[in-house]
């Protein structure tokens, strides 16, 4: 059946939808409104227009409301944030069809500013409720959208360090991407940093204020980019729709660097990820390490069939919010379990020890322990261990522990 792909950049202040053709790009405020007289729903600019007519109640900052699991009262009805997000997302996905694009959506990928557990769960539930299979959608970070968009371009763009400044109503961020090649695996690393300098887009309203903004950007660029060689620098976000106000900043960037103004990096990156979903093969030969992915490999030393071996429980590049591990072990004269944590820089390898507190002391291999691992974010691992006993002769003591460890 004929179909198409959709990439969405979902933020608290704006939403951007990227369709199958270059001209299929919609940008609108992340707001939803329920009409007072008709009980109909509106999003984006239509929502604002309904409120201006005096016939609507508006809710904004939907992403933040969802992360907090909040509620909003529209008229005499109280709505959960998840329900408002479901309505907003449903109407957002209707935009390509309303524009005349035929067929069904084969895959959709949503890029968000920062991955949070509650937001991922709500968006996942929404997409499932629309009839999408898990293989047809993903929730990714802005950093990963930046990776996909950048690596889809010519190699000379990304064969060195790539920088990006994102200036929007939600603040100023600096991103950096580079390729780390190894003998067995190659990684693409993408990190970001929130700039500590407060930057409000209101600074661009007058020439005097704009000059202050230009000075702030120059200070950020000098601090983040000092003594680095770049193959390209990207500018994205509402603040860079025009660069006339940032002349000193542009002069600073232009020294031996390619500069690109890209208005839809995250939505387009999400669309490229969607194409990978339907093709069922990797878009590029690198393991992606960025927000949403583990930056370390977790492993254990075990004895299997008389030989010591290393069991990998989770690898650098795995999605932390999708990765969970269950493994059964039989401690042999041990009162703790050791996990090896290996970052990309193997010189920083470390061991994390979790004591078996409250477990019976057995030295004859008559206790089986079930270890369950999951990840709360890319730096925090939750460990749960339970005594399973060992057959009918050695019943479980009921001992169990839960612990969060920093990676």
């Amino acid at each position: 059946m004929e179909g198409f792909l959709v990439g969405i950049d979902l933020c608290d202040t704006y939403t951007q939808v990227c369709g199958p053709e270059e001209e299929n790009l919609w940008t609108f405020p992340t707001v939803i409104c329920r009409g007072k007289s008709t009980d109909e729903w509106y999003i984006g600019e239509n929502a604002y227009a309904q409120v201006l007519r005096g016939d609507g109640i508006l809710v904004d900052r939907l992403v933040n409301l969802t992360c907090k699991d909040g509620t909003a009262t529209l008229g005499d009805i109280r709505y959960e944030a998840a329900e408002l997000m479901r309505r907003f997302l449903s109407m957002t996905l209707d935009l390509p069809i309303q524009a005349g694009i035929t067929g069904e959506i084969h895959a959709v990928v949503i890029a968000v500013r920062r991955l949070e557990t509650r937001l991922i769960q709500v968006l996942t539930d929404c997409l499932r409720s629309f009839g999408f299979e898990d293989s047809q959608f993903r929730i990714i970070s802005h950093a990963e959208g930046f990776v996909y968009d950048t690596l889809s371009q010519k190699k000379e763009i990304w064969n060195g360090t790539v920088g990006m400044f994102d200036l929007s109503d939600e603040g100023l961020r600096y991103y950096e991407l580079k390729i780390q090649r190894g003998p067995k695996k190659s990684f693409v690393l993408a990190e970001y940093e929130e700039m500590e300098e407060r930057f409000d887009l209101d600074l661009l309203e007058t020439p005097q204020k704009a000059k202050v903004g230009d000075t702030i950007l120059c200070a950020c660029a000098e601090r983040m980019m000092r003594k680095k060689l770049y193959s390209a620098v990207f500018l994205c976000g509402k603040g860079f729709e025009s660069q006339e106000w940032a002349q000193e900043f542009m002069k600073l960037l232009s020294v031996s660097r390619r500069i690109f103004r890209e208005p839809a990096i995250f939505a387009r990156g999400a669309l490229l990820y969607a194409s990978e979903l339907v093709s069922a093969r990797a878009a590029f030969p690198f393991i992606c390490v960025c927000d949403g992915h583990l930056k370390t490999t977790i492993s254990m030393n075990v004895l299997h069939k008389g030989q010591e071996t290393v069991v990998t429980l989770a690898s650098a590049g795995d999605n932390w919010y999708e990765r969970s591990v269950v493994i059964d072990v039989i401690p042999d004269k041990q009162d703790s379990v050791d996990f090896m944590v290996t970052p990309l820089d193997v010189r920083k390898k470390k061991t994390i020890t979790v004591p078996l507190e409250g477990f019976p002391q057995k030295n004859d291999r008559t206790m089986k322990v079930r270890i369950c691992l999951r990840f709360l974010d890319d730096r925090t691992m939750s460990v749960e261990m339970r005594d399973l006993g060992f057959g009918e002769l050695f019943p479980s003591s009921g001992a169990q522990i839960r612990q969060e460890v920093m990676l």
Side-chain angles (χ1 to χ4, degrees), residues 50-302:
Q50 193 72 11
V51 172
L52 287 174
R53 286 194 289 268
D55 192 26
I57 306 169
L58 183 136
V59 179
D60 61 1
R61 298 204 168 273
L62 284 175
V63 174
N64 185 53
L65 191 68
T66 301
C67 291
K68 292 181 177 180
D69 209 13
T71 62
T73 301
L74 283 71
D76 56 353
I77 302 177
R78 185 181 181 185
Y79 292 92
E80 301 288 335
E83 169 62 16
L84 294 173
M85 180 60 77
R86 189 190 67 79
R87 290 178 178 273
F88 177 84
L89 196 55
S90 175
M91 297 178 73
T92 296
L93 290 172
D94 278 342
L95 291 174
I97 297 171
Q98 292 174 3
I101 299 176
T102 58
E104 296 181 349
I105 300 176
H106 282 177
V108 56
V109 174
I110 302 175
V112 295
R113 192 170 171 84
R114 177 165 177 79
L115 289 165
E116 296 191 29
T117 303
R118 180 56 184 165
L119 179 60
I120 294 170
Q121 186 59 59
V122 168
L123 294 178
T124 297
D125 291 344
C126 288
L127 292 169
R128 285 172 178 166
S129 74
F130 301 154
F132 291 103
E133 300 290 336
D134 287 3
S135 60
Q136 293 180 283
F137 67 85
R138 287 291 186 279
I139 316 301
I140 66 172
S141 66
H142 271 185
E144 192 161 5
F146 172 43
V147 168
Y148 271 79
D149 185 72
T150 302
L151 295 190
S152 70
Q153 303 187 42
K154 295 179 180 179
K155 187 175 180 179
E156 55 263 31
I157 299 297
W158 50 264
N159 63 357
T161 300
V162 180
M164 181 174 71
F165 289 88
D166 175 24
L167 179 58
S168 69
D169 289 303
E170 298 183 40
L172 174 63
R173 268 187 180 182
Y174 171 73
Y175 292 79
E176 195 166 279
L177 178 153
K178 54 188 174 183
I179 305 295
Q180 179 176 309
R181 292 179 171 85
K184 295 182 179 180
K185 299 178 181 179
S186 294
F187 297 86
V188 53
L189 313 178
E191 299 179 308
Y192 71 86
E193 186 173 329
E194 303 279 1
M195 295 295 94
E196 58 189 31
E197 292 86 351
R198 178 172 175 77
F199 200 111
D200 194 314
L201 293 188
D202 290 343
L203 285 173
L204 309 184
E205 291 181 352
T206 66
Q208 293 79 10
K209 289 182 178 180
K211 189 173 182 180
V212 175
D214 194 6
T215 302
I216 291 174
L217 282 181
C218 287
C220 292
E222 288 175 348
R223 184 175 73 253
M224 302 306 300
M225 306 176 72
R226 186 183 297 120
K227 298 181 180 179
K228 296 178 184 176
L229 297 176
Y230 288 80
S231 54
V233 177
F234 290 89
L235 304 177
C236 72
K238 184 179 178 181
F240 290 120
E241 289 178 348
S242 168
Q243 298 96 50
E244 290 297 321
W245 61 272
Q247 294 184 11
E248 294 304 314
F249 173 67
M250 296 302 295
K251 288 178 185 177
L252 181 64
L253 291 188
S254 63
V255 178
S256 302
R257 301 183 183 108
R258 298 185 183 90
I259 305 173
F260 301 93
R261 158 65 186 153
E262 297 286 356
I265 282 180
F266 306 126
R268 196 168 58 208
L271 183 68
L272 290 165
Y273 195 118
S275 67
E276 180 177 289
L277 289 181
V278 297
S279 67
R281 61 185 179 88
F284 43 80
F286 305 110
I287 296 172
C288 185
V289 178
C290 64
D291 185 24
H293 293 256
L294 294 175
K295 297 175 175 61
T296 55
T297 294
I298 317 300
S299 58
M300 292 177 63
N301 282 326
V302 301

Side-chain angles (χ1 to χ4, degrees), residues 22-36:
E22 188 172 340
E23 65 270 15
N24 300 143
L25 182 66
W26 297 266
T27 303
F28 50 93
T30 307
V31 297
I32 190 167
C33 162
R34 195 191 83 181
K36 292 180 180 178

